Amino acid sequence: MSLYCGITRRRKSFWCCRLLSTYVTKTRYLSELKEDDDACKKAQQTGAFYLFHNLAPLLQKSEHQYLAPQHSLLELERLLGKFGQDMQTIEDSVLNGCSEQQEAWFALDLGLNSSSSINASLQKPEMETELKGSFIGLRKALFQLNVKDASLLSTAQALLRWHDAHQFCSRSGQPTKKNVAGSKRVCPSNKIIYYPQMTPVVITLVSDGTQCLLARQSSFPEGMYSALAGFCDIGESLEEAVRREVAEEVGLEVERLQYSASQHWPFPNGALMIACHATVKPGQTEIQVNLRELEAAAWFSHDEVATALRKDNPSYQQQNGAFPFWLPPKLAIAHQLIKEWVEKPTCSILPP
C-alpha cells in the first residue's frame, strides 16, 4: 500500500512539473519574441493571424456562437495580393499569444491606416466576401465567443487600438516606430520607449450582509444591473478607490472590503478590472444615487439575485413592453462577483 501511494505521489509530482514546465517554456518563448525582432519575424512564417477591420474582428457564425478563424502568412500574402496590397502591411501586426506547441498568434487590422504602412485600408465588404466571414464589433460579439477566443481577441483589439493611438511621440511630435511584436514603440529622435498600458478600474459588489447593491447606467442594455465600477484616480490605493467610488455613486460608506479577482476588459480602451466585495453597516443602507454617474441603483435580496443568475438571455424576454431584471453574462467579472455572493452571502462579511 505504501509503495502504491509513493508511486501515486511521484506521478502527481511529475504531472505538476510537466504542466509548470509547459507554462514556463511558453512564457519565455513569448518574452523572446517580444524582445527579438528577428525571432518574431521567423515566428510569423509559421504563425497564425487573426484579422480585424477598424478594430472589429473577423468572425464566422457557427450555430449560437461566433468563431475566430486563423490565417497563415501564405494565405495573407495571397489575400493582400488579390487586393493590390504588398506584404509591408504585415509590419502592422501585433503578437498576442502562442500555443503550447509554440505556434505564435498575431493580430492584423486591415482597416486602420498606420504610419508604418503606405497602403490604404482595405474595403470591408470585399474583404468579408473573400474571407467568408464578417467583421463584427467586439462589444456585440464578445459574449458569443468561447473563452479562448474572447481572451485572444480582447488582447489583440487592445493592442491594435493602443498602437493606433500612439503613432507619435508626446515629447517630440515625431512618428514612433513599433517593434515587430508590437510590445513597444520607440521615438527615433529621442529614444523614448512607450509600452502598451491598461487603465485600472475597481468593480465592487456592496452588501449589507443580507442584500447586495446593484446599479445601472443609461448605456446598459434594458433591464441589466451590475456591480459599481469606476476608474482609479492617480495616487489612490485600491482600497481608497473602492471607498471613493461607492461614496460618489450611491452615497454609502464602505466598512470592510475584500479583493476577489481581476480581469482584462477591452472596453472602452483596455482596462484592468479589479473586483472586490465590500460591506456597509446594516443600519446605514439608504442609497443616494448620483444621477450624473448612474441611472438607478437598488438593494436586491438573495432570492432575487439567485433567480436572475439562472435566466438565459433575459434581455430578449420582453414582457408587456417591460424588460425583466437581469445580470451581466458569465464572461464578465461582475457575474463572478455576484455569483460568489449568491453562493456564499457571508463572503463580504470580513473581520475588521
Side-chain angles (χ1 to χ4, degrees):
M1 180 65 181
S2 59
L3 176 61
Y4 173 81
C5 290
I7 294 173
T8 302
R9 281 195 294 270
R10 284 195 293 273
R11 283 178 177 171
K12 288 182 178 179
S13 176
F14 168 79
W15 286 112
C16 289
C17 289
R18 182 177 179 184
L19 203 62
L20 177 63
S21 297
T22 301
Y23 172 77
V24 170
T25 301
K26 175 181 172 180
T27 301
R28 289 185 173 179
Y29 177 62
L30 284 173
S31 179
E32 177 190 1
L33 297 187
K34 290 176 182 179
E35 297 301 324
D36 188 330
D37 283 353
D38 290 335
C40 196
K41 286 181 181 179
K42 183 179 179 181
Q44 288 178 343
Q45 302 299 314
T46 56
F49 290 78
Y50 294 90
L51 300 182
F52 287 71
H53 194 284
N54 287 326
L55 300 178
L58 177 72
L59 300 173
Q60 295 172 340
K61 190 71 173 179
S62 175
E63 296 182 350
H64 301 298
Q65 68 173 355
Y66 288 112
L67 300 177
Q70 295 180 333
H71 296 81
S72 68
L73 188 66
L74 181 60
E75 289 172 329
L76 267 184
E77 186 175 7
R78 291 172 180 166
L79 176 72
L80 293 171
K82 185 169 185 175
F83 286 89
Q85 305 288 309
D86 59 39
M87 289 299 285
Q88 185 178 353
T89 304
I90 302 297
E91 293 179 11
D92 296 328
S93 65
V94 295
L95 175 71
N96 71 313
C98 75
S99 69
E100 292 186 355
Q101 291 73 39
Q102 297 188 6
E103 176 193 56
W105 298 325
F106 298 87
L108 176 64
D109 198 304
L110 300 172
L112 296 176
N113 286 319
S114 167
S115 60
S116 66
S117 175
I118 61 173
N119 297 312
S121 64
L122 298 178
Q123 295 302 307
K124 181 179 175 181
E126 290 85 347
M127 295 291 294
E128 290 179 326
T129 301
E130 181 68 24
L131 294 166
K132 297 180 175 59
S134 300
F135 292 104
I136 301 173
L138 188 57
R139 188 182 288 274
K140 176 182 177 182
L142 186 63
F143 298 119
Q144 296 183 59
L145 293 165
N146 60 47
V147 174
K148 174 194 169 186
D149 284 348
S151 176
L152 282 170
L153 295 182
S154 295
T155 300
Q157 190 202 63
L159 280 168
L160 291 168
R161 180 190 285 113
W162 183 86
H163 281 283
D164 185 52
H166 291 78
Q167 295 185 38
F168 296 89
C169 176
S170 61
R171 181 67 62 84
S172 69
Q174 297 299 309
T176 55
K177 182 176 176 58
K178 69 178 276 295
N179 65 340
V180 175
S183 59
K184 60 185 176 183
R185 298 188 76 92
V186 180
C187 176
S189 66
N190 56 30
K191 307 305 178 185
I192 292 178
I193 302 175
Y194 296 91
Y195 295 97
Q197 297 178 341
M198 294 188 295
T199 303
V201 175
V202 291
I203 179 165
T204 308
L205 186 66
V206 178
S207 170
D208 68 351
T210 59
Q211 307 172 99
C212 74
L213 188 150
L214 299 170
R216 60 174 281 105
Q217 299 176 357
S218 58
S219 60
F220 284 9
E222 290 288 347
M224 192 188 86
Y225 279 72
S226 185
L228 301 176
F231 295 102
C232 297
D233 282 347
I234 290 178
E236 280 186 324
S237 66
L238 169 62
E239 294 81 2
E240 289 168 339
V242 168
R243 289 188 166 94
R244 175 185 54 77
E245 280 294 332
V246 174
E248 283 182 356
E249 296 191 349
V250 294
L252 296 175
E253 187 171 344
V254 168
E255 183 182 29
R256 305 180 183 97
L257 63 91
Q258 181 182 37
Y259 169 79
S260 172
S262 63
Q263 177 188 46
H264 170 255
W265 192 243
F267 316 114
N269 296 305
L272 176 62
M273 306 296 292
I274 306 167
C276 297
H277 290 281
T279 58
V280 296
K281 292 181 179 179
Q284 300 178 4
T285 57
E286 183 180 350
I287 301 172
Q288 297 177 356
V289 179
N290 183 342
L291 295 177
R292 290 177 297 180
E293 300 277 346
L294 302 172
E295 182 179 87
W299 290 104
F300 292 86
S301 70
H302 182 275
D303 288 344
E304 288 176 311
V305 178
T307 299
L309 278 175
R310 292 193 292 269
K311 291 180 181 177
D312 184 28
N313 293 330
S315 61
Y316 301 103
Q317 298 174 5
Q318 193 169 356
Q319 300 172 352
N320 301 323
F323 286 87
F325 160 59
W326 61 287
L327 300 168
K330 293 179 181 179
L331 192 61
I333 200 166
H335 185 99
Q336 177 180 324
L337 267 178
I338 295 166
K339 187 170 182 286
E340 285 176 351
W341 181 80
V342 165
E343 293 177 347
K344 189 178 180 183
T346 56
C347 66
S348 297
I349 308 301
L350 309 174

